Amino acid sequence: VQLQASGGGLVQPGSSLRLSCAASSVNLDDAAVGWFRQAPGKRREGVACIASGDHTGAGRFPISRDNAKNTVYLHMNNLTPEGTARYYCAVRLRTVHCRSYQHEYNYWGQGTLVTVSS
């Protein structure tokens, strides 16, 4: 299983970004997909999650899925400097519900860096 997170970059406060998590060798429609982030000097924290049994995901940013592309998106709007972090996507296989704890996810991507600065 490989997860490829992309879409990060340097943006100004108030900007929007769409992060993508593309998966290979696993059907994301049969999994919970979580987004997490780790800011400099801080612990990694959960941001959002989507699973077939959780219709809209959970968290502070909208999350969506394109089953045809086997990709999950994190839509980040009105970003502030506090949003600066490396964002990771993670998958727990064969479940219909989001998971609250990081250790419950089986596979992790390498992350994509988001920097919010003027």
Side-chain angles (χ1 to χ4, degrees), residues 18-83:
R18 187 184 74 169
L19 304 185
S20 301
C21 177
S24 60
S25 304
V26 62
N27 183 359
L28 293 184
D29 193 34
D30 189 33
V33 181
W35 280 99
F36 299 82
R37 68 183 182 184
Q38 187 167 21
K42 295 186 177 181
R43 300 177 68 176
R44 191 164 57 188
E45 62 178 357
V47 176
C49 174
I50 189 168
S52 60
D54 291 313
H55 302 293
T56 59
R60 69 199 75 180
F61 295 121
I63 188 170
S64 65
R65 176 167 54 200
D66 185 333
N67 290 335
K69 295 182 178 180
N70 207 31
T71 299
V72 168
Y73 302 100
L74 182 68
H75 305 269
M76 302 193 297
N77 301 313
N78 194 26
L79 284 162
T80 67
E82 288 69 34

Side-chain angles (χ1 to χ4, degrees), residues 97-114:
H97 294 294
C98 286
R99 302 291 172 156
S100 299
Y101 300 103
Q102 297 180 39
H103 71 265
E104 298 181 282
Y105 289 83
N106 309 107
Y107 300 96
W108 291 77
Q110 85 292 350
T112 184
L113 183 63
V114 173

